[in-house]
PDB file of all heavy atoms in Angstrom:
ATOM      1  N   SER A 271     116.128 164.454  25.011  1.00 93.00           N
ATOM      2  CA  SER A 271     116.506 165.690  24.338  1.00 93.00           C
ATOM      3  C   SER A 271     115.291 166.556  24.044  1.00 93.00           C
ATOM      4  O   SER A 271     115.275 167.763  24.331  1.00 93.00           O
ATOM      5  CB  SER A 271     117.250 165.365  23.035  1.00 93.00           C
ATOM      6  OG  SER A 271     117.552 166.541  22.330  1.00 93.00           O
ATOM      7  N   ALA A 272     114.239 165.962  23.476  1.00 94.00           N
ATOM      8  CA  ALA A 272     113.029 166.709  23.140  1.00 94.00           C
ATOM      9  C   ALA A 272     112.380 167.286  24.394  1.00 94.00           C
ATOM     10  O   ALA A 272     111.902 168.433  24.387  1.00 94.00           O
ATOM     11  CB  ALA A 272     112.050 165.802  22.395  1.00 94.00           C
ATOM     12  N   HIS A 273     112.366 166.520  25.461  1.00 95.00           N
ATOM     13  CA  HIS A 273     111.765 166.975  26.710  1.00 95.00           C
ATOM     14  C   HIS A 273     112.502 168.201  27.242  1.00 95.00           C
ATOM     15  O   HIS A 273     111.886 169.157  27.717  1.00 95.00           O
ATOM     16  CB  HIS A 273     111.769 165.840  27.735  1.00 95.00           C
ATOM     17  CG  HIS A 273     111.167 166.209  29.040  1.00 95.00           C
ATOM     18  ND1 HIS A 273     111.930 166.416  30.159  1.00 95.00           N
ATOM     19  CD2 HIS A 273     109.879 166.422  29.407  1.00 95.00           C
ATOM     20  CE1 HIS A 273     111.135 166.734  31.170  1.00 95.00           C
ATOM     21  NE2 HIS A 273     109.887 166.742  30.736  1.00 95.00           N
ATOM     22  N   ARG A 274     113.810 168.216  27.156  1.00 93.00           N
ATOM     23  CA  ARG A 274     114.591 169.386  27.588  1.00 93.00           C
ATOM     24  C   ARG A 274     114.181 170.623  26.785  1.00 93.00           C
ATOM     25  O   ARG A 274     114.024 171.706  27.336  1.00 93.00           O
ATOM     26  CB  ARG A 274     116.084 169.144  27.433  1.00 93.00           C
ATOM     27  CG  ARG A 274     116.671 168.221  28.478  1.00 93.00           C
ATOM     28  CD  ARG A 274     118.187 168.183  28.386  1.00 93.00           C
ATOM     29  NE  ARG A 274     118.791 169.462  28.729  1.00 93.00           N
ATOM     30  CZ  ARG A 274     119.022 169.902  29.966  1.00 93.00           C
ATOM     31  NH1 ARG A 274     118.679 169.151  31.001  1.00 93.00           N
ATOM     32  NH2 ARG A 274     119.584 171.067  30.181  1.00 93.00           N
ATOM     33  N   VAL A 275     114.028 170.438  25.468  1.00 92.00           N
ATOM     34  CA  VAL A 275     113.683 171.563  24.604  1.00 92.00           C
ATOM     35  C   VAL A 275     112.297 172.116  24.960  1.00 92.00           C
ATOM     36  O   VAL A 275     112.122 173.325  25.112  1.00 92.00           O
ATOM     37  CB  VAL A 275     113.775 171.167  23.116  1.00 92.00           C
ATOM     38  CG1 VAL A 275     113.200 172.251  22.223  1.00 92.00           C
ATOM     39  CG2 VAL A 275     115.223 170.866  22.741  1.00 92.00           C
ATOM     40  N   VAL A 276     111.289 171.240  25.108  1.00 93.00           N
ATOM     41  CA  VAL A 276     109.943 171.724  25.432  1.00 93.00           C
ATOM     42  C   VAL A 276     109.875 172.307  26.841  1.00 93.00           C
ATOM     43  O   VAL A 276     108.991 173.107  27.125  1.00 93.00           O
ATOM     44  CB  VAL A 276     108.835 170.661  25.210  1.00 93.00           C
ATOM     45  CG1 VAL A 276     108.807 170.196  23.774  1.00 93.00           C
ATOM     46  CG2 VAL A 276     108.981 169.505  26.158  1.00 93.00           C
ATOM     47  N   ALA A 277     110.826 171.925  27.693  1.00 93.00           N
ATOM     48  CA  ALA A 277     110.883 172.499  29.043  1.00 93.00           C
ATOM     49  C   ALA A 277     111.638 173.829  29.054  1.00 93.00           C
ATOM     50  O   ALA A 277     111.826 174.427  30.114  1.00 93.00           O
ATOM     51  CB  ALA A 277     111.548 171.507  29.997  1.00 93.00           C
ATOM     52  N   GLY A 278     112.078 174.283  27.866  1.00 92.00           N
ATOM     53  CA  GLY A 278     112.750 175.566  27.768  1.00 92.00           C
ATOM     54  C   GLY A 278     114.218 175.532  28.149  1.00 92.00           C
ATOM     55  O   GLY A 278     114.811 176.564  28.469  1.00 92.00           O
ATOM     56  N   GLU A 279     114.810 174.351  28.107  1.00 91.00           N
ATOM     57  CA  GLU A 279     116.217 174.196  28.481  1.00 91.00           C
ATOM     58  C   GLU A 279     117.077 173.970  27.239  1.00 91.00           C
ATOM     59  O   GLU A 279     116.567 173.660  26.170  1.00 91.00           O
ATOM     60  CB  GLU A 279     116.362 173.022  29.447  1.00 91.00           C
ATOM     61  CG  GLU A 279     115.556 173.245  30.715  1.00 91.00           C
ATOM     62  CD  GLU A 279     115.469 172.012  31.580  1.00 91.00           C
ATOM     63  OE1 GLU A 279     116.202 171.039  31.338  1.00 91.00           O
ATOM     64  OE2 GLU A 279     114.642 172.015  32.502  1.00 91.00           O
ATOM     65  N   ASP A 280     118.375 174.113  27.402  1.00 85.00           N
ATOM     66  CA  ASP A 280     119.311 173.929  26.287  1.00 85.00           C
ATOM     67  C   ASP A 280     119.488 172.459  25.956  1.00 85.00           C
ATOM     68  O   ASP A 280     119.409 171.606  26.813  1.00 85.00           O
ATOM     69  CB  ASP A 280     120.719 174.421  26.609  1.00 85.00           C
ATOM     70  CG  ASP A 280     120.785 175.788  27.201  1.00 85.00           C
ATOM     71  OD1 ASP A 280     119.739 176.366  27.442  1.00 85.00           O
ATOM     72  OD2 ASP A 280     121.896 176.270  27.405  1.00 85.00           O
ATOM     73  N   SER A 281     119.806 172.232  24.703  1.00 82.00           N
ATOM     74  CA  SER A 281     120.279 170.937  24.245  1.00 82.00           C
ATOM     75  C   SER A 281     121.765 171.132  24.001  1.00 82.00           C
ATOM     76  O   SER A 281     122.174 172.101  23.367  1.00 82.00           O
ATOM     77  CB  SER A 281     119.555 170.553  22.955  1.00 82.00           C
ATOM     78  OG  SER A 281     120.010 169.319  22.495  1.00 82.00           O
ATOM     79  N   ASP A 282     122.595 170.265  24.532  1.00 86.00           N
ATOM     80  CA  ASP A 282     124.039 170.453  24.475  1.00 86.00           C
ATOM     81  C   ASP A 282     124.676 169.485  23.481  1.00 86.00           C
ATOM     82  O   ASP A 282     124.957 168.344  23.796  1.00 86.00           O
ATOM     83  CB  ASP A 282     124.629 170.262  25.868  1.00 86.00           C
ATOM     84  CG  ASP A 282     125.971 170.932  26.049  1.00 86.00           C
ATOM     85  OD1 ASP A 282     126.471 171.564  25.097  1.00 86.00           O
ATOM     86  OD2 ASP A 282     126.528 170.816  27.154  1.00 86.00           O
ATOM     87  N   LEU A 283     124.885 169.968  22.252  1.00 89.00           N
ATOM     88  CA  LEU A 283     125.500 169.178  21.193  1.00 89.00           C
ATOM     89  C   LEU A 283     126.920 169.694  21.004  1.00 89.00           C
ATOM     90  O   LEU A 283     127.121 170.889  20.777  1.00 89.00           O
ATOM     91  CB  LEU A 283     124.696 169.318  19.898  1.00 89.00           C
ATOM     92  CG  LEU A 283     125.128 168.468  18.721  1.00 89.00           C
ATOM     93  CD1 LEU A 283     124.946 166.985  19.022  1.00 89.00           C
ATOM     94  CD2 LEU A 283     124.337 168.859  17.487  1.00 89.00           C
TER      95      LEU A 283
END
Side-chain angles (χ1 to χ4, degrees):
S271 176
H273 180 253
R274 285 188 66 82
V275 171
V276 301
E279 300 170 12
D280 311 4
S281 179
D282 202 0
L283 185 65

